[in-house]
Amino acid sequence: MSMQCSNSMLRKARTILALVLVSAVAVLPALGKGKRRNAAGADESLRRETATFDISKIVWPNPPAIARIRFVNLLSGQKIDWADLKVPQKHRQSWMDRLAGTQPDSRLKDIQSKVGFQLIRPFGVAVDSHGNIYTADQGVGAIFIFDSDSGKVELIENGVDAHFARINGLAMDDDDRLFVTDTQLHHVLVFNPKHEQEAVFGAADLVSPCGIAIDTENRFVYVVDTQLDQVLVFDADSYKLLRRIGTSGKNHTLTSPGNFSLPTCVAVDKDGNVYVTDTLNDRVEIFDADGNFISQFGQDGDGPGRFARPKGLAIDCDGHIWVVDEVQSRVQVFDKEGRLLIYFGEEGWYPGQFRAVYDIAFDKKDNEMITSEQWPGRLQVFRYVTDGEAADALARREGGREGTQSKAAGSPSQKGGGQVRAQSSTTP
């Protein structure tokens, strides 16, 4: 009896097992389809999150006003070949590497060669006569050079082409010689057009050199020393110290016109006038070529025309003063009298938005403004629409409007019930 019961239970167990296997085989394809549907849904979700837009439409002010500033480009470093970074097979590591969480040097070098160098903390910006853009990156310890024609990126590297510690300001003279301030080494380096170092000066006089600008007509080099609260003026050829602007030794407490409290950057216009961002006093001060105080504009605040921490500044071809504000994440443009003309920018990651914006430089060749940002590690390029170009655009618009009105006035009215005047015409 027990034997028959055991055989019966065994047959039932086999039957149940067979049914389970059949069910599993039937369900697996459905699960596969579900996974494929989920994967497809995930891909579709990713596609939906990807946004594209026409950068040519990023302008200030907004239409229908005549555009005066156009977004052009973002620059972040050497080109990355993303396809090359895809590794078909997982690299095998030794148990010691896995335990230590390290990768073999060859693997790291391979990744580095494919990624190249990217901007980390760019500070000063300059542009040469060919439109090539230079920026000093303290995070990388190198000067990045963005070629305007080929798009390639070259570097002046620390330990290879020169010795850098904490590079900051950049300026270019009319012979394409590059001047670089080094805050930690207390001096200015000079490179020839081939990017070879040819001179060093200022170590006996500078404490914390920051922004730098060159008066190519009068042959002056202006160097802002943040800790000294002064602007030092050197001869551009002999590198001899000529004079100082501002009073030092007051522990950044001076607010009187002609003095500074932690100044940052400097610019020179075509008449030799000197513009300095007096950062802690939230203003811009203007001096003549002899160092005499002329005027100032700006005050503390977050409204239009006011500053929180003004840093870089540049002068465009029409003599307008462009000032970047690191705290307010915006760029403001003023005339020579300090009247606000336009401003743009806000905190963010998109084109025309800024995070820790630091410097700005003007490209005379292409009428472009270039800004540097430290947190995203990038440069933004904007096209300045000159006063002449804006006047021509307005004239074309007004001319087209008058032509349209004249045509409408000479055509029969199609609505409104008014009398239609007789029209004469000739047949060719």
Side-chain angles (χ1 to χ4, degrees):
M1 184 69 179
S2 61
M3 181 65 70
Q4 290 177 353
C5 182
S6 299
N7 291 337
S8 176
M9 291 178 64
L10 184 59
R11 284 196 298 271
K12 289 181 181 180
R14 288 176 178 173
T15 303
I16 292 171
L17 181 60
L19 289 173
V20 169
L21 290 174
V22 171
S23 301
V25 171
V27 169
L28 282 175
L31 290 176
K33 290 180 181 178
K35 289 182 179 179
R36 286 194 293 271
R37 281 197 298 270
N38 291 339
D43 291 342
E44 184 64 28
S45 175
L46 288 175
R47 282 195 292 271
R48 283 197 300 268
E49 292 176 359
T50 302
T52 58
F53 49 87
D54 184 359
I55 63 172
S56 66
K57 299 187 182 300
I58 305 177
V59 298
W60 296 268
N62 292 326
I66 300 294
R68 300 306 307 271
I69 303 167
R70 298 181 181 276
F71 174 80
V72 177
N73 199 7
L74 288 173
L75 304 174
S76 59
Q78 293 178 329
K79 185 178 179 180
I80 300 175
D81 190 344
W82 296 104
D84 254 1
L85 288 174
K86 294 181 179 179
V87 182
Q89 294 182 350
K90 187 176 179 180
H91 186 82
R92 299 191 63 178
Q93 295 176 280
S94 68
W95 67 270
M96 294 184 67
D97 286 335
R98 289 196 297 272
L99 183 63
T102 61
Q103 290 181 318
D105 290 342
S106 59
R107 174 73 175 137
L108 291 174
K109 291 178 180 178
D110 181 57
I111 293 175
Q112 177 64 56
S113 65
K114 293 174 181 177
V115 172
F117 288 95
Q118 305 300 314
L119 293 174
I120 298 178
R121 281 188 292 121
F123 279 75
V125 184
V127 186
D128 66 20
S129 61
H130 303 287
N132 300 319
I133 299 171
Y134 298 66
T135 188
D137 193 302
Q138 290 187 7
V140 178
I143 298 170
F144 284 68
I145 307 170
F146 295 86
D147 190 288
S148 61
D149 295 325
S150 67
K152 294 182 178 179
V153 181
E154 298 180 3
L155 275 72
I156 302 176
E157 298 183 52
N158 175 42
V160 178
D161 306 293
H163 175 52
F164 300 140
R166 195 186 302 163
I167 50 178
N168 193 305
L170 298 182
M172 194 76 62
D173 72 2
D174 49 357
D175 293 323
D176 282 344
R177 291 191 304 165
L178 178 65
F179 290 67
V180 184
T181 63
D182 195 308
T183 303
Q184 187 171 327
L185 297 180
H186 322 294
H187 62 211
V188 179
L189 299 95
V190 185
F191 295 86
N192 64 25
K194 296 181 180 179
H195 308 147
E196 301 166 339
Q197 183 179 325
E198 66 177 24
V200 179
F201 68 92
D205 305 297
L206 297 168
V207 174
S208 180
C210 189
I212 184 171
I214 301 174
D215 181 347
T216 57
E217 293 295 326
N218 296 311
R219 306 303 298 164
F220 295 149
V221 178
Y222 293 92
V223 182
V224 176
D225 195 304
T226 302
Q227 292 303 315
L228 289 179
D229 290 331
Q230 290 182 324
V231 177
L232 282 70
V233 188
F234 296 87
D235 185 280
D237 300 306
S238 67
Y239 311 124
K240 179 183 177 181
L241 178 64
L242 302 177
R243 59 179 174 272
R244 299 169 183 258
I245 304 173
T247 304
S248 185
K250 301 299 181 180
N251 198 28
H252 320 306
T253 59
L254 295 179
T255 60
S256 56
N259 286 306
F260 311 106
S261 180
L262 296 178
T264 304
C265 291
V266 60
V268 182
D269 67 16
K270 60 184 179 181
D271 297 320
N273 296 317
V274 183
Y275 301 76
V276 183
T277 48
D278 188 8
T279 302
L280 202 60
N281 286 324
D282 295 311
R283 65 187 179 184
V284 173
E285 297 194 65
I286 308 173
F287 302 83
D288 64 20
D290 295 321
N292 300 310
F293 175 80
I294 298 177
S295 63
Q296 65 183 36
F297 63 87
Q299 57 182 310
D300 176 54
D302 58 3
R306 300 197 173 199
F307 300 118
R309 283 295 179 268
K311 291 293 182 75
L313 75 169
I315 316 296
D316 65 32
C317 56
D318 291 319
H320 305 135
I321 305 107
W322 299 55
V323 186
V324 301
D325 195 303
E326 183 179 36
V327 172
Q328 296 178 351
S329 298
R330 68 182 179 186
V331 179
Q332 301 187 89
V333 186
F334 302 84
D335 64 13
K336 293 181 179 179
E337 286 70 42
R339 292 188 291 259
L340 179 65
L341 302 176
I342 190 174
Y343 66 93
F344 66 99
E346 60 184 345
E347 185 174 359
W349 304 95
Y350 290 106
Q353 297 179 332
F354 304 101
R355 289 180 63 88
V357 60
Y358 183 83
D359 198 13
I360 187 168
F362 182 60
D363 177 5
K364 299 177 183 178
K365 176 177 175 287
D366 298 314
N367 284 330
E368 292 179 340
M369 282 288 179
I370 300 94
T371 60
S372 64
E373 297 168 75
Q374 296 174 15
W375 295 125
R378 68 182 183 183
L379 307 180
Q380 294 196 57
V381 184
F382 303 90
R383 171 66 159 82
Y384 166 58
V385 179
T386 67
D387 289 346
E389 291 172 333
D392 290 343
L394 181 60
R396 288 193 299 270
R397 177 180 294 184
E398 294 295 334
R401 189 174 298 165
E402 291 175 2
T404 302
Q405 291 173 351
S406 299
K407 184 176 180 180
S411 301
S413 177
Q414 299 297 318
K415 60 181 179 179
Q419 182 179 2
V420 179
R421 293 178 294 179
Q423 298 290 319
S424 63
S425 63
T426 58
T427 304

